Amino acid sequence: MSEVTVSVTFRHIEPTAALKKYAEEKVHKIGKYFSHPLDAHVILAVDAKQRQLAEVALHTHGAMIHGKEQHQDLYAAIDLVLDKIERQVRKQKEKSKVSRRRTKA
């Protein structure tokens, strides 16, 4: 598990410690897929139509993984975007494992 640096930005919404902590904890769970330090920026926002938006950008070892989701509940939006990113990371890890096996053979 790698070290994860998380920054949380609130837009058009009152910042709350509970929401910030929830987002940070969820992002830290993604760190288990990486062996090197990881920077994450989480943006939590409410737009003009009262949609709850969660956007996450992970910066890692020469790559950037980005996800954006909306939902009526901000906690659900955070869950959705991080599930999406986790699927992307697992898929990429699996591709690299297959690629390494083929080059060794």
Side-chain angles (χ1 to χ4, degrees), residues 11-99:
R11 292 191 182 149
H12 311 291
I13 185 173
E14 192 65 33
T16 64
L19 202 51
K20 182 177 180 179
K21 183 178 179 185
Y22 185 77
E24 288 174 345
E25 287 174 356
K26 287 291 199 171
V27 171
H28 280 287
K29 290 181 182 179
I30 299 288
K32 68 183 176 185
Y33 293 103
F34 299 94
S35 60
H36 44 277
L38 180 70
D39 290 326
H41 187 173
V42 180
I43 300 172
L44 304 174
V46 176
D47 72 357
K49 297 178 183 174
Q50 298 301 311
R51 289 181 297 192
Q52 314 285 323
L53 304 168
E55 187 173 347
V56 177
L58 297 176
H59 302 278
T60 176
H61 201 62
M64 184 174 147
I65 302 167
H66 183 263
K68 185 175 186 179
E69 286 291 331
Q70 68 180 15
H71 196 273
Q72 295 172 342
D73 177 36
L74 200 48
Y75 289 96
I78 293 168
D79 287 339
L80 288 171
V81 73
L82 287 168
D83 287 345
K84 179 188 227 179
I85 287 174
E86 188 172 0
R87 281 191 306 273
Q88 290 176 5
V89 169
R90 281 197 315 240
K91 185 177 180 180
Q92 189 61 37
K93 291 281 186 183
E94 189 59 37
K95 282 183 179 179
S96 68
K97 283 182 186 176
V98 170
S99 175

